[in-house]
Short mmCIF file of all heavy atoms in Angstrom, two decimals:
data_model
loop_
_atom_site.label_atom_id
_atom_site.label_comp_id
_atom_site.label_asym_id
_atom_site.label_seq_id
_atom_site.Cartn_x
_atom_site.Cartn_y
_atom_site.Cartn_z
N ALA A 73 49.77 -16.69 -14.19
CA ALA A 73 48.51 -17.40 -13.99
C ALA A 73 47.89 -17.05 -12.64
O ALA A 73 46.67 -16.86 -12.54
CB ALA A 73 48.73 -18.90 -14.11
N ARG A 74 48.71 -16.96 -11.60
CA ARG A 74 48.18 -16.59 -10.29
C ARG A 74 47.64 -15.16 -10.29
O ARG A 74 46.72 -14.84 -9.54
CB ARG A 74 49.25 -16.76 -9.21
CG ARG A 74 49.39 -18.21 -8.72
CD ARG A 74 50.34 -18.30 -7.55
NE ARG A 74 51.73 -18.13 -7.98
CZ ARG A 74 52.50 -19.12 -8.39
NH1 ARG A 74 52.04 -20.36 -8.43
NH2 ARG A 74 53.75 -18.88 -8.75
N ALA A 75 48.19 -14.32 -11.17
CA ALA A 75 47.71 -12.94 -11.28
C ALA A 75 46.46 -12.84 -12.15
O ALA A 75 45.87 -11.76 -12.27
CB ALA A 75 48.81 -12.05 -11.86
N GLY A 76 46.04 -13.95 -12.76
CA GLY A 76 44.84 -13.95 -13.59
C GLY A 76 45.04 -13.36 -14.96
O GLY A 76 44.07 -13.01 -15.63
N LEU A 77 46.29 -13.22 -15.41
CA LEU A 77 46.55 -12.68 -16.74
C LEU A 77 46.16 -13.71 -17.80
O LEU A 77 46.22 -14.91 -17.55
CB LEU A 77 48.03 -12.31 -16.88
CG LEU A 77 48.53 -11.24 -15.90
CD1 LEU A 77 50.02 -11.00 -16.10
CD2 LEU A 77 47.75 -9.94 -16.09
N PRO A 78 45.73 -13.26 -18.99
CA PRO A 78 45.23 -14.18 -20.01
C PRO A 78 46.21 -15.31 -20.34
O PRO A 78 47.26 -15.08 -20.94
CB PRO A 78 44.99 -13.27 -21.21
CG PRO A 78 44.67 -11.94 -20.60
CD PRO A 78 45.57 -11.85 -19.40
N THR A 79 45.87 -16.49 -19.89
CA THR A 79 46.72 -17.67 -20.05
C THR A 79 45.82 -18.85 -20.39
O THR A 79 44.87 -19.14 -19.66
CB THR A 79 47.50 -17.97 -18.76
OG1 THR A 79 48.23 -16.80 -18.36
CG2 THR A 79 48.47 -19.13 -18.98
N LEU A 80 46.12 -19.50 -21.50
CA LEU A 80 45.37 -20.68 -21.92
C LEU A 80 46.26 -21.91 -21.74
O LEU A 80 47.35 -21.97 -22.30
CB LEU A 80 44.96 -20.55 -23.39
CG LEU A 80 44.35 -21.79 -24.06
CD1 LEU A 80 43.01 -22.15 -23.43
CD2 LEU A 80 44.20 -21.58 -25.56
N ALA A 81 45.78 -22.88 -20.96
CA ALA A 81 46.52 -24.13 -20.75
C ALA A 81 45.73 -25.27 -21.37
O ALA A 81 44.53 -25.40 -21.13
CB ALA A 81 46.73 -24.38 -19.26
N VAL A 82 46.40 -26.09 -22.17
CA VAL A 82 45.73 -27.14 -22.94
C VAL A 82 46.27 -28.51 -22.56
O VAL A 82 47.48 -28.72 -22.57
CB VAL A 82 45.90 -26.91 -24.45
CG1 VAL A 82 45.26 -28.04 -25.25
CG2 VAL A 82 45.30 -25.57 -24.86
N CYS A 83 45.38 -29.43 -22.22
CA CYS A 83 45.70 -30.84 -21.96
C CYS A 83 46.75 -30.97 -20.86
O CYS A 83 46.48 -30.66 -19.71
CB CYS A 83 46.12 -31.52 -23.26
SG CYS A 83 46.08 -33.34 -23.20
N LEU A 84 47.97 -31.41 -21.19
CA LEU A 84 49.01 -31.48 -20.18
C LEU A 84 49.26 -30.12 -19.54
O LEU A 84 49.63 -30.03 -18.37
CB LEU A 84 50.31 -32.02 -20.78
CG LEU A 84 51.52 -32.10 -19.85
CD1 LEU A 84 51.27 -33.08 -18.71
CD2 LEU A 84 52.78 -32.48 -20.63
N GLY A 85 49.01 -29.06 -20.31
CA GLY A 85 49.17 -27.71 -19.76
C GLY A 85 48.32 -27.50 -18.53
O GLY A 85 48.76 -26.91 -17.54
N LEU A 86 47.05 -27.96 -18.55
CA LEU A 86 46.19 -27.88 -17.36
C LEU A 86 46.82 -28.64 -16.20
O LEU A 86 46.87 -28.16 -15.07
CB LEU A 86 44.80 -28.42 -17.67
CG LEU A 86 43.79 -28.48 -16.51
CD1 LEU A 86 42.36 -28.37 -17.04
CD2 LEU A 86 43.92 -29.75 -15.67
N GLN A 87 47.31 -29.84 -16.48
CA GLN A 87 47.87 -30.67 -15.42
C GLN A 87 49.11 -30.02 -14.80
O GLN A 87 49.34 -30.11 -13.59
CB GLN A 87 48.19 -32.06 -15.97
CG GLN A 87 46.94 -32.79 -16.45
CD GLN A 87 47.25 -34.15 -17.04
OE1 GLN A 87 48.33 -34.70 -16.83
NE2 GLN A 87 46.29 -34.71 -17.77
N LEU A 88 49.92 -29.35 -15.62
CA LEU A 88 51.11 -28.69 -15.11
C LEU A 88 50.76 -27.52 -14.19
O LEU A 88 51.55 -27.15 -13.31
CB LEU A 88 51.99 -28.21 -16.26
CG LEU A 88 52.59 -29.31 -17.15
CD1 LEU A 88 53.34 -28.69 -18.32
CD2 LEU A 88 53.51 -30.22 -16.35
N LEU A 89 49.57 -26.93 -14.36
CA LEU A 89 49.14 -25.86 -13.47
C LEU A 89 48.71 -26.38 -12.11
O LEU A 89 48.58 -25.60 -11.16
CB LEU A 89 47.97 -25.09 -14.09
CG LEU A 89 48.26 -24.21 -15.30
CD1 LEU A 89 46.99 -23.47 -15.71
CD2 LEU A 89 49.38 -23.21 -15.03
N CYS A 90 48.51 -27.68 -11.98
CA CYS A 90 48.06 -28.28 -10.72
C CYS A 90 49.21 -28.46 -9.74
O CYS A 90 50.37 -28.17 -10.05
CB CYS A 90 47.37 -29.62 -11.00
SG CYS A 90 45.82 -29.45 -11.93
N GLU A 91 48.88 -28.97 -8.56
CA GLU A 91 49.90 -29.13 -7.51
C GLU A 91 50.85 -30.28 -7.79
O GLU A 91 52.01 -30.26 -7.36
CB GLU A 91 49.21 -29.33 -6.16
CG GLU A 91 48.40 -28.11 -5.72
CD GLU A 91 47.54 -28.39 -4.51
OE1 GLU A 91 47.29 -29.59 -4.22
OE2 GLU A 91 47.11 -27.42 -3.85
N GLY A 92 50.36 -31.29 -8.49
CA GLY A 92 51.19 -32.44 -8.80
C GLY A 92 50.36 -33.49 -9.51
O GLY A 92 49.17 -33.29 -9.77
N SER A 93 51.00 -34.61 -9.84
CA SER A 93 50.33 -35.66 -10.59
C SER A 93 50.81 -37.03 -10.15
O SER A 93 52.00 -37.22 -9.86
CB SER A 93 50.58 -35.48 -12.09
OG SER A 93 50.08 -36.57 -12.83
N ASP A 94 49.90 -37.99 -10.13
CA ASP A 94 50.29 -39.37 -9.85
C ASP A 94 51.21 -39.92 -10.93
O ASP A 94 51.87 -40.94 -10.70
CB ASP A 94 49.03 -40.25 -9.76
CG ASP A 94 48.26 -40.01 -8.48
OD1 ASP A 94 48.74 -39.24 -7.63
OD2 ASP A 94 47.16 -40.58 -8.33
N GLU A 95 51.25 -39.28 -12.08
CA GLU A 95 52.17 -39.70 -13.14
C GLU A 95 53.61 -39.42 -12.75
O GLU A 95 54.53 -40.06 -13.28
CB GLU A 95 51.81 -38.97 -14.44
CG GLU A 95 52.53 -39.50 -15.66
CD GLU A 95 52.10 -38.82 -16.94
OE1 GLU A 95 51.50 -37.72 -16.87
OE2 GLU A 95 52.36 -39.38 -18.02
N ASP A 96 53.83 -38.50 -11.83
CA ASP A 96 55.15 -38.12 -11.35
C ASP A 96 55.07 -37.97 -9.84
O ASP A 96 55.00 -36.85 -9.32
CB ASP A 96 55.59 -36.81 -12.03
CG ASP A 96 56.96 -36.35 -11.57
OD1 ASP A 96 57.77 -37.20 -11.16
OD2 ASP A 96 57.22 -35.12 -11.63
N PRO A 97 55.04 -39.10 -9.09
CA PRO A 97 54.73 -39.06 -7.65
C PRO A 97 55.58 -38.11 -6.83
O PRO A 97 55.09 -37.51 -5.87
CB PRO A 97 54.94 -40.52 -7.22
CG PRO A 97 54.69 -41.31 -8.46
CD PRO A 97 55.24 -40.48 -9.58
N GLY A 98 56.84 -37.95 -7.18
CA GLY A 98 57.69 -37.08 -6.38
C GLY A 98 57.78 -35.66 -6.89
O GLY A 98 58.44 -34.82 -6.27
N GLY A 99 57.11 -35.38 -8.01
CA GLY A 99 57.23 -34.06 -8.62
C GLY A 99 56.18 -33.09 -8.14
O GLY A 99 55.17 -33.47 -7.55
N ARG A 100 56.43 -31.82 -8.41
CA ARG A 100 55.49 -30.77 -8.04
C ARG A 100 55.15 -29.95 -9.27
O ARG A 100 56.02 -29.63 -10.09
CB ARG A 100 56.10 -29.85 -6.97
CG ARG A 100 56.40 -30.56 -5.65
CD ARG A 100 57.04 -29.61 -4.66
NE ARG A 100 56.16 -28.49 -4.32
CZ ARG A 100 56.51 -27.48 -3.54
NH1 ARG A 100 57.74 -27.44 -3.02
NH2 ARG A 100 55.66 -26.52 -3.27
#
Side-chain angles (χ1 to χ4, degrees):
R74 278 187 287 272
L77 298 178
T79 306
L80 171 66
V82 177
C83 197
L84 177 64
L86 177 152
Q87 297 178 17
L88 296 175
L89 290 183
C90 294
E91 296 171 341
S93 172
D94 287 355
E95 190 176 18
D96 180 26
R100 297 178 62 184

